[in-house]
Amino acid sequence: MKPAPFTFSRPACLHEALDLLAVNPDAKVLAGGQSLIPLLSMRLASPSMLIDINGITELSYVTCDDTGVRIGALARHAEVETHEQARRVQPLLSQALRLVANPTIRNRGTTVGSIVHADAAAEMPMVLCLLQGSVTAASTQGTRTIPAHELYVGPLESSVRADEIVTEAFFPALPAGAGVAFEQVARRHGDYALCGVAAVVDSDPDGRITSVRAGYLSVCDVPTVVDLSEAFAAQELTEQALHDAAELASASLDPTGDIHASAAYRGELARVLTRRAVRAAYDDSRSRHVEVRV
């Protein structure tokens, strides 16, 4: 199919783009377009106007400091994935991004665009939630910061208003001594995951676990994060603690089923991948403590 007719505009600055959006509430914003263009072609979206922001070069950046990583609306997945400083400040970004689709998609698709698309089967919305990040949304009325836990309100639905453009995503830095890991199962590399789990584990220099959080994609209707700390009770990693963490995660999730996988299968994958991700994140945490000692 072909898209329904629409007016095309390519503003030269953010102010111009926001003015257009303010008077065209059903307009769509085009950045990478890797999700939007298929929707237009299948006529699942029929906006009156397409606002192409690729000429707004001020939105193309990746910046890092001790607090975290800031990603502009036009930064491509591939740029973020290979950004060495971003990898050091928050290594979960590159771990997640290498699992996004394929190189062609990553070369064009934008990280912020994926976040705003609000697909619970995508990696970056879950990563933003797990890391307790935020996005900055701009409109003609000003800017506001939306924390990740307030961003996703339903399947493919976010709290970003129709007159707003998300200009930036912020991912907090990995705390000293913490470790991360990302595990997922897909039919083929680059396909949407049947289930994915990322974990952040904090431990002290003696190896005792102080906190564990896990994020889940392709399991529930929205990206979901579960605090698993109580399963470990400030102890070192044990098989029993991993089992308890997996059961705690299972009790906290409400898996959905579709043509790709049943709810029961996704629930079992979540248990298995929770154990894998937490173990790998703990090992990563221990290795970082060793690096500090050296």
Side-chain angles (χ1 to χ4, degrees):
M1 294 180 66
K2 300 297 183 182
F6 58 81
T7 301
F8 180 84
S9 180
R10 188 179 173 91
C13 65
L14 180 59
H15 178 76
E16 183 183 347
L18 295 176
D19 284 343
L20 285 168
L21 201 56
V23 296
N24 296 278
D26 68 335
K28 292 293 185 182
V29 176
L30 173 67
Q34 302 307 292
S35 298
L36 178 58
I37 297 302
L39 291 177
L40 294 176
S41 296
M42 292 185 287
R43 299 203 177 190
L44 296 174
S46 299
S48 63
M49 173 179 284
L50 200 61
I51 302 174
D52 183 351
I53 64 172
N54 281 280
I56 308 175
T57 55
E58 66 195 77
L59 298 180
S60 182
Y61 61 86
V62 180
T63 61
C64 309
D65 57 28
D66 292 340
T67 65
V69 181
R70 297 186 182 276
I71 300 172
L74 291 181
R76 312 296 166 177
H77 290 312
E79 179 184 359
V80 182
E81 178 190 3
T82 58
H83 196 287
E84 287 299 327
Q85 191 176 3
R87 185 177 301 175
R88 290 193 297 270
V89 172
Q90 183 43 262
L92 191 58
L93 289 177
S94 60
Q95 290 185 32
L97 283 166
R98 71 183 180 213
L99 298 171
V100 173
N102 53 61
T104 300
I105 297 294
R106 294 198 295 273
N107 284 338
R108 184 61 187 172
T110 62
T111 300
V112 171
S114 176
I115 289 169
V116 175
H117 187 53
D119 190 341
E123 288 80 6
M124 300 317 295
M126 181 270 279
V127 170
L128 186 79
C129 291
L130 176 61
L131 297 179
Q132 299 176 304
S134 62
V135 299
T136 300
S139 71
T140 55
Q141 306 302 311
T143 62
R144 65 181 180 124
T145 298
I146 308 174
H149 69 271
E150 297 179 2
L151 184 58
Y152 301 110
V153 297
L156 296 174
E157 184 180 4
S158 76
S159 58
V160 178
R161 299 195 307 264
D163 65 337
E164 291 180 319
I165 293 176
V166 173
T167 58
E168 178 182 276
F170 172 69
F171 296 85
L174 185 68
V180 295
F182 201 120
E183 299 283 343
Q184 73 176 34
V185 171
R187 287 191 173 89
R188 297 172 301 178
H189 180 78
D191 283 358
Y192 278 118
L194 299 177
C195 175
V197 181
V200 179
V201 174
D202 285 281
S203 66
D204 65 21
D206 295 322
R208 292 185 294 269
I209 295 173
T210 56
S211 71
V212 179
R213 285 165 51 85
Y216 297 83
L217 65 91
S218 284
V219 177
C220 304
D221 286 335
V222 296
T224 304
V225 176
V226 181
D227 191 328
L228 303 176
S229 303
E230 67 179 77
F232 296 89
Q235 64 181 5
E236 294 184 11
L237 193 75
T238 64
E239 290 301 323
Q240 183 60 50
L242 284 173
H243 171 79
D244 293 344
E247 293 307 307
L248 177 58
S250 179
S252 303
L253 298 170
D254 184 18
T256 58
D258 55 30
I259 61 173
H260 303 293
S262 67
Y265 182 54
R266 282 200 167 96
E268 181 58 27
L269 282 177
R271 281 191 287 269
V272 171
L273 296 183
T274 294
R275 292 192 289 268
R276 290 182 188 175
V278 171
R279 183 191 298 277
Y282 177 75
D283 291 343
D284 186 43
S285 171
R286 301 303 302 135
S287 69
R288 294 180 190 279
H289 280 297
V290 171
E291 290 174 3
V292 170
R293 291 195 189 102
V294 173

